[in-house]
Amino acid sequence: MRVRDLGQTHSAALCETCPSVERCLTPSLLQHLQDGRAADLRISTYPTAAWIIRQHQPQVGIHIVCTGSVAISAERADRRETVLYIGGRDCIMNLEDWALARPIYSLSARALTESTVIFIGKDDLRRLYESDPAIAQLMTHYLARRMESAQQRHIRSMTTDVKSRLMTAFSELLEATGQQTDQTARFQFPITRQLLADIVGAAPESISRVLTDLEAETLIMREPAHIAIPDVPRFLARAGSITKEPPAGRPSNAPAHTAMLVHSIQPRRHR
């Protein structure tokens, strides 16, 4: 599997039609690339099933998804990869490792579909973080969203049943793949029982029973190795996950108080 380096010639078109452009780090990074202030920045396309990051490898920078879908996973004690969540456009795969100056990556990332990814080296990212308030704010907002997502996932695992957690997982998949506003949706990568079991934190047998229930309610359609959602608005309404517009002047999905964190959260120094 060959990873294609797209160089700088494709950078201008990456953000033109992206609906996540206002909350994404990529436009600012590309501007610094064009200005010559981000030397260690690469834009690459990874084919389906290619590894983007491997857990325990040296941490050399961050990776941002521009197009496609990636599986973020961790290695269990028995060496099996457990998928934690699916990342789509504007997903920063290992920002926590960079912020904590970890010497190695704590998670792995693998392309589920052909994916365009931006990489920026840790030293260049630090210089931009310290010199560009807009980049510092975007990174802080992203970390706040990740903290909120992790907290909500933990709360759901302790307080809700498998069906509720699975419907929430599908809602998050719709957002990660950019299909949450479509009338119908079809995930372009295989969704297995084990994948859903990993994400939800349930036994594959429980996932099978819930999938059968959802199909009986015509909330999903199962195809060979794929799952489709025939009526996205109905599904989201049933899942209780209809997206609401944030108040004017507040970045999408970012709590109002997170701007103050820019001055209090300082990444550790890399040695």
Side-chain angles (χ1 to χ4, degrees), residues 18-20 23 88-90 167-187 229 231-237 241-245 252-253:
C18 180
S20 303
R23 70 177 191 179
R89 60 191 174 207
D90 90 355
M167 293 190 74
T168 299
F170 277 128
S171 300
E172 292 174 346
L173 281 173
L174 287 169
E175 182 175 4
T177 56
Q179 300 183 89
Q180 73 270 31
T181 59
D182 294 348
Q183 186 62 38
T184 62
R186 182 178 185 274
F187 301 112
I229 297 181
D231 189 335
V232 171
R234 176 172 172 257
F235 183 93
L236 292 176
S241 302
I242 297 176
T243 303
K244 297 181 180 179
E245 291 294 327
S252 178
N253 291 337

Short mmCIF file of all heavy atoms in Angstrom, two decimals, residues 18-20 23 88-90 167-187 229 231-237 241-245 252-253:
data_model
loop_
_atom_site.label_atom_id
_atom_site.label_comp_id
_atom_site.label_asym_id
_atom_site.label_seq_id
_atom_site.Cartn_x
_atom_site.Cartn_y
_atom_site.Cartn_z
N CYS A 18 -15.13 22.53 2.48
CA CYS A 18 -15.27 21.78 3.74
C CYS A 18 -16.19 22.52 4.70
O CYS A 18 -15.94 23.69 5.03
CB CYS A 18 -13.90 21.56 4.38
SG CYS A 18 -13.99 20.66 5.95
N PRO A 19 -17.25 21.87 5.22
CA PRO A 19 -18.16 22.53 6.15
C PRO A 19 -17.56 22.72 7.54
O PRO A 19 -18.12 23.44 8.36
CB PRO A 19 -19.37 21.60 6.19
CG PRO A 19 -18.81 20.26 5.84
CD PRO A 19 -17.70 20.51 4.87
N SER A 20 -16.43 22.06 7.82
CA SER A 20 -15.81 22.17 9.14
C SER A 20 -14.71 23.22 9.18
O SER A 20 -13.95 23.28 10.15
CB SER A 20 -15.23 20.81 9.55
OG SER A 20 -16.21 19.81 9.55
N ARG A 23 -13.86 25.60 12.35
CA ARG A 23 -13.34 25.08 13.61
C ARG A 23 -12.10 24.20 13.40
O ARG A 23 -11.59 23.62 14.36
CB ARG A 23 -14.41 24.27 14.33
CG ARG A 23 -14.76 22.95 13.68
CD ARG A 23 -15.78 22.20 14.51
NE ARG A 23 -15.95 20.83 14.05
CZ ARG A 23 -16.77 19.96 14.61
NH1 ARG A 23 -17.49 20.30 15.65
NH2 ARG A 23 -16.88 18.72 14.13
N GLY A 88 -13.28 11.59 11.40
CA GLY A 88 -13.49 12.10 10.05
C GLY A 88 -12.79 13.43 9.89
O GLY A 88 -11.81 13.72 10.58
N ARG A 89 -13.29 14.24 8.96
CA ARG A 89 -12.64 15.52 8.67
C ARG A 89 -12.53 16.39 9.92
O ARG A 89 -13.42 16.42 10.74
CB ARG A 89 -13.38 16.26 7.56
CG ARG A 89 -14.81 16.58 7.89
CD ARG A 89 -15.54 17.07 6.66
NE ARG A 89 -16.95 17.25 6.93
CZ ARG A 89 -17.90 17.16 6.01
NH1 ARG A 89 -17.58 16.90 4.77
NH2 ARG A 89 -19.16 17.35 6.32
N ASP A 90 -11.43 17.05 10.05
CA ASP A 90 -10.98 17.94 11.12
C ASP A 90 -10.57 17.19 12.38
O ASP A 90 -10.26 17.81 13.41
CB ASP A 90 -11.97 19.06 11.42
CG ASP A 90 -13.04 18.78 12.46
OD1 ASP A 90 -13.13 17.66 12.97
OD2 ASP A 90 -13.79 19.71 12.79
N MET A 167 -26.98 3.59 19.14
CA MET A 167 -27.57 4.66 18.35
C MET A 167 -26.75 5.94 18.44
O MET A 167 -26.59 6.66 17.45
CB MET A 167 -29.01 4.90 18.80
CG MET A 167 -29.94 3.73 18.48
SD MET A 167 -31.69 4.11 18.76
CE MET A 167 -32.04 5.16 17.35
N THR A 168 -26.19 6.20 19.61
CA THR A 168 -25.30 7.35 19.75
C THR A 168 -24.05 7.16 18.90
O THR A 168 -23.57 8.10 18.25
CB THR A 168 -24.91 7.56 21.22
OG1 THR A 168 -26.09 7.81 21.99
CG2 THR A 168 -23.95 8.73 21.37
N ALA A 169 -23.52 5.94 18.87
CA ALA A 169 -22.33 5.66 18.06
C ALA A 169 -22.62 5.88 16.58
O ALA A 169 -21.79 6.45 15.85
CB ALA A 169 -21.87 4.22 18.30
N PHE A 170 -23.78 5.46 16.11
CA PHE A 170 -24.16 5.70 14.72
C PHE A 170 -24.31 7.21 14.45
O PHE A 170 -23.92 7.69 13.38
CB PHE A 170 -25.45 4.98 14.37
CG PHE A 170 -25.27 3.54 14.00
CD1 PHE A 170 -26.01 2.53 14.62
CD2 PHE A 170 -24.36 3.16 13.02
CE1 PHE A 170 -25.84 1.20 14.27
CE2 PHE A 170 -24.18 1.84 12.66
CZ PHE A 170 -24.92 0.85 13.30
N SER A 171 -24.87 7.94 15.41
CA SER A 171 -24.99 9.39 15.25
C SER A 171 -23.62 10.04 15.12
O SER A 171 -23.41 10.93 14.29
CB SER A 171 -25.75 10.00 16.44
OG SER A 171 -27.04 9.45 16.56
N GLU A 172 -22.66 9.58 15.92
CA GLU A 172 -21.30 10.10 15.84
C GLU A 172 -20.63 9.71 14.52
O GLU A 172 -19.85 10.48 13.95
CB GLU A 172 -20.48 9.61 17.03
CG GLU A 172 -20.96 10.20 18.36
CD GLU A 172 -20.24 9.61 19.55
OE1 GLU A 172 -19.58 8.56 19.39
OE2 GLU A 172 -20.34 10.18 20.65
N LEU A 173 -20.95 8.51 14.03
CA LEU A 173 -20.42 8.09 12.73
C LEU A 173 -20.97 8.96 11.60
O LEU A 173 -20.24 9.30 10.65
CB LEU A 173 -20.76 6.62 12.46
CG LEU A 173 -19.90 5.57 13.17
CD1 LEU A 173 -20.46 4.18 12.94
CD2 LEU A 173 -18.46 5.64 12.68
N LEU A 174 -22.23 9.33 11.70
CA LEU A 174 -22.82 10.22 10.69
C LEU A 174 -22.08 11.56 10.67
O LEU A 174 -21.78 12.10 9.60
CB LEU A 174 -24.30 10.44 10.99
CG LEU A 174 -25.24 9.28 10.68
CD1 LEU A 174 -26.62 9.55 11.28
CD2 LEU A 174 -25.36 9.04 9.18
N GLU A 175 -21.77 12.08 11.86
CA GLU A 175 -21.05 13.35 11.92
C GLU A 175 -19.62 13.19 11.40
O GLU A 175 -19.11 14.04 10.66
CB GLU A 175 -21.02 13.88 13.35
CG GLU A 175 -20.31 15.22 13.47
CD GLU A 175 -20.38 15.81 14.87
OE1 GLU A 175 -20.91 15.14 15.77
OE2 GLU A 175 -19.89 16.94 15.06
N ALA A 176 -18.95 12.10 11.79
CA ALA A 176 -17.56 11.88 11.38
C ALA A 176 -17.43 11.74 9.87
O ALA A 176 -16.41 12.12 9.28
CB ALA A 176 -17.00 10.65 12.08
N THR A 177 -18.47 11.19 9.23
CA THR A 177 -18.43 11.00 7.77
C THR A 177 -19.12 12.12 7.02
O THR A 177 -19.27 12.04 5.79
CB THR A 177 -19.06 9.65 7.40
OG1 THR A 177 -20.40 9.58 7.91
CG2 THR A 177 -18.25 8.49 7.97
N GLY A 178 -19.57 13.16 7.72
CA GLY A 178 -20.19 14.30 7.06
C GLY A 178 -21.56 14.02 6.48
O GLY A 178 -21.99 14.68 5.53
N GLN A 179 -22.30 13.07 7.07
CA GLN A 179 -23.60 12.70 6.52
C GLN A 179 -24.77 13.04 7.45
O GLN A 179 -25.90 12.64 7.20
CB GLN A 179 -23.64 11.19 6.22
CG GLN A 179 -22.60 10.73 5.22
CD GLN A 179 -22.73 9.25 4.93
OE1 GLN A 179 -23.46 8.83 4.02
NE2 GLN A 179 -22.02 8.44 5.69
N GLN A 180 -24.49 13.82 8.52
CA GLN A 180 -25.54 14.06 9.51
C GLN A 180 -26.65 14.95 8.98
O GLN A 180 -27.73 14.99 9.57
CB GLN A 180 -24.94 14.65 10.80
CG GLN A 180 -24.48 16.11 10.69
CD GLN A 180 -23.05 16.22 10.24
OE1 GLN A 180 -22.55 15.38 9.50
NE2 GLN A 180 -22.37 17.26 10.69
N THR A 181 -26.42 15.68 7.87
CA THR A 181 -27.48 16.52 7.31
C THR A 181 -28.08 15.92 6.04
O THR A 181 -28.92 16.56 5.40
CB THR A 181 -26.93 17.93 6.99
OG1 THR A 181 -25.84 17.82 6.06
CG2 THR A 181 -26.45 18.63 8.26
N ASP A 182 -27.66 14.73 5.67
CA ASP A 182 -28.20 14.07 4.48
C ASP A 182 -29.54 13.43 4.80
O ASP A 182 -29.89 13.17 5.96
CB ASP A 182 -27.23 13.00 3.97
CG ASP A 182 -25.92 13.60 3.46
OD1 ASP A 182 -25.88 14.83 3.30
OD2 ASP A 182 -24.97 12.83 3.24
N GLN A 183 -30.30 13.13 3.75
CA GLN A 183 -31.57 12.43 3.94
C GLN A 183 -31.34 10.95 4.18
O GLN A 183 -31.99 10.33 5.03
CB GLN A 183 -32.48 12.63 2.72
CG GLN A 183 -33.88 12.05 2.89
CD GLN A 183 -34.66 12.69 4.03
OE1 GLN A 183 -34.57 13.90 4.24
NE2 GLN A 183 -35.42 11.89 4.78
N THR A 184 -30.43 10.37 3.41
CA THR A 184 -30.04 8.97 3.60
C THR A 184 -28.52 8.90 3.72
O THR A 184 -27.81 9.80 3.28
CB THR A 184 -30.51 8.08 2.43
OG1 THR A 184 -29.87 8.55 1.22
CG2 THR A 184 -32.02 8.16 2.26
N ALA A 185 -28.03 7.82 4.32
CA ALA A 185 -26.58 7.69 4.52
C ALA A 185 -26.18 6.24 4.36
O ALA A 185 -26.93 5.32 4.70
CB ALA A 185 -26.18 8.20 5.89
N ARG A 186 -24.95 6.07 3.83
CA ARG A 186 -24.37 4.73 3.72
C ARG A 186 -22.89 4.85 4.05
O ARG A 186 -22.17 5.64 3.45
CB ARG A 186 -24.54 4.16 2.31
CG ARG A 186 -24.00 2.74 2.14
CD ARG A 186 -24.25 2.23 0.72
NE ARG A 186 -23.85 0.86 0.56
CZ ARG A 186 -22.61 0.46 0.26
NH1 ARG A 186 -21.65 1.37 0.09
NH2 ARG A 186 -22.32 -0.81 0.13
N PHE A 187 -22.46 4.09 5.02
CA PHE A 187 -21.05 4.14 5.42
C PHE A 187 -20.21 3.38 4.42
O PHE A 187 -20.51 2.23 4.08
CB PHE A 187 -20.90 3.57 6.83
CG PHE A 187 -21.71 4.31 7.85
CD1 PHE A 187 -22.79 3.70 8.47
CD2 PHE A 187 -21.43 5.63 8.17
CE1 PHE A 187 -23.55 4.38 9.41
CE2 PHE A 187 -22.18 6.32 9.11
CZ PHE A 187 -23.25 5.70 9.72
N ILE A 229 -28.37 3.99 6.58
CA ILE A 229 -29.45 4.60 7.36
C ILE A 229 -30.40 5.24 6.36
O ILE A 229 -30.05 6.26 5.75
CB ILE A 229 -28.89 5.61 8.37
CG1 ILE A 229 -27.99 4.90 9.37
CG2 ILE A 229 -30.03 6.34 9.08
CD1 ILE A 229 -27.39 5.79 10.43
N ASP A 231 -33.26 6.90 6.60
CA ASP A 231 -33.89 8.19 6.92
C ASP A 231 -33.09 8.81 8.06
O ASP A 231 -33.37 8.58 9.24
CB ASP A 231 -35.34 7.97 7.32
CG ASP A 231 -36.12 9.28 7.46
OD1 ASP A 231 -35.49 10.32 7.72
OD2 ASP A 231 -37.37 9.24 7.32
N VAL A 232 -32.09 9.62 7.71
CA VAL A 232 -31.19 10.18 8.72
C VAL A 232 -31.93 11.08 9.72
O VAL A 232 -31.73 10.94 10.94
CB VAL A 232 -30.03 10.94 8.05
CG1 VAL A 232 -29.21 11.70 9.08
CG2 VAL A 232 -29.15 9.97 7.27
N PRO A 233 -32.79 12.04 9.28
CA PRO A 233 -33.48 12.88 10.27
C PRO A 233 -34.30 12.05 11.27
O PRO A 233 -34.31 12.35 12.47
CB PRO A 233 -34.38 13.77 9.41
CG PRO A 233 -33.67 13.84 8.09
CD PRO A 233 -33.08 12.48 7.89
N ARG A 234 -34.98 11.01 10.77
CA ARG A 234 -35.77 10.16 11.67
C ARG A 234 -34.86 9.42 12.65
O ARG A 234 -35.17 9.31 13.84
CB ARG A 234 -36.58 9.16 10.85
CG ARG A 234 -37.37 8.15 11.70
CD ARG A 234 -38.31 7.31 10.84
NE ARG A 234 -38.91 6.24 11.61
CZ ARG A 234 -38.54 4.97 11.55
NH1 ARG A 234 -37.55 4.60 10.73
NH2 ARG A 234 -39.13 4.05 12.28
N PHE A 235 -33.74 8.93 12.16
CA PHE A 235 -32.81 8.21 13.03
C PHE A 235 -32.27 9.14 14.12
O PHE A 235 -32.25 8.77 15.30
CB PHE A 235 -31.64 7.64 12.21
CG PHE A 235 -30.68 6.83 13.04
CD1 PHE A 235 -30.83 5.46 13.16
CD2 PHE A 235 -29.64 7.45 13.73
CE1 PHE A 235 -29.96 4.71 13.95
CE2 PHE A 235 -28.78 6.71 14.53
CZ PHE A 235 -28.93 5.34 14.62
N LEU A 236 -31.83 10.34 13.74
CA LEU A 236 -31.27 11.28 14.72
C LEU A 236 -32.33 11.72 15.73
O LEU A 236 -32.02 11.90 16.91
CB LEU A 236 -30.66 12.48 14.01
CG LEU A 236 -29.40 12.19 13.17
CD1 LEU A 236 -28.96 13.45 12.45
CD2 LEU A 236 -28.28 11.66 14.05
N ALA A 237 -33.54 11.91 15.25
CA ALA A 237 -34.61 12.29 16.17
C ALA A 237 -34.85 11.17 17.18
O ALA A 237 -35.03 11.42 18.38
CB ALA A 237 -35.89 12.60 15.40
N SER A 241 -30.28 12.92 19.06
CA SER A 241 -28.98 13.56 18.77
C SER A 241 -29.09 14.59 17.67
O SER A 241 -28.17 14.76 16.87
CB SER A 241 -27.96 12.49 18.38
OG SER A 241 -27.83 11.55 19.40
N ILE A 242 -30.21 15.29 17.57
CA ILE A 242 -30.33 16.32 16.54
C ILE A 242 -29.39 17.47 16.86
O ILE A 242 -29.40 18.01 17.96
CB ILE A 242 -31.78 16.82 16.45
CG1 ILE A 242 -32.71 15.67 16.03
CG2 ILE A 242 -31.90 17.98 15.46
CD1 ILE A 242 -34.16 16.04 16.00
N THR A 243 -28.57 17.84 15.88
CA THR A 243 -27.58 18.90 16.10
C THR A 243 -28.27 20.26 16.17
O THR A 243 -29.12 20.58 15.35
CB THR A 243 -26.56 18.91 14.96
OG1 THR A 243 -25.95 17.63 14.90
CG2 THR A 243 -25.50 19.97 15.19
N LYS A 244 -27.90 21.06 17.16
CA LYS A 244 -28.44 22.42 17.31
C LYS A 244 -27.35 23.43 17.02
O LYS A 244 -26.18 23.21 17.32
CB LYS A 244 -28.97 22.62 18.73
CG LYS A 244 -30.15 21.70 19.06
CD LYS A 244 -30.64 21.96 20.47
CE LYS A 244 -31.82 21.04 20.81
NZ LYS A 244 -32.30 21.26 22.18
N GLU A 245 -27.74 24.53 16.42
CA GLU A 245 -26.77 25.58 16.10
C GLU A 245 -26.27 26.23 17.39
O GLU A 245 -27.07 26.53 18.29
CB GLU A 245 -27.41 26.64 15.22
CG GLU A 245 -27.74 26.15 13.82
CD GLU A 245 -26.49 25.84 13.03
OE1 GLU A 245 -25.47 26.52 13.26
OE2 GLU A 245 -26.54 24.91 12.21
N SER A 252 -18.26 26.42 16.81
CA SER A 252 -19.10 25.23 16.84
C SER A 252 -18.55 24.19 17.80
O SER A 252 -17.37 23.87 17.79
CB SER A 252 -19.18 24.63 15.42
OG SER A 252 -19.93 23.46 15.41
N ASN A 253 -19.44 23.66 18.67
CA ASN A 253 -19.11 22.61 19.62
C ASN A 253 -18.07 23.02 20.65
O ASN A 253 -17.47 22.18 21.29
CB ASN A 253 -18.62 21.34 18.88
CG ASN A 253 -19.73 20.68 18.12
OD1 ASN A 253 -20.90 20.87 18.44
ND2 ASN A 253 -19.38 19.92 17.11
#
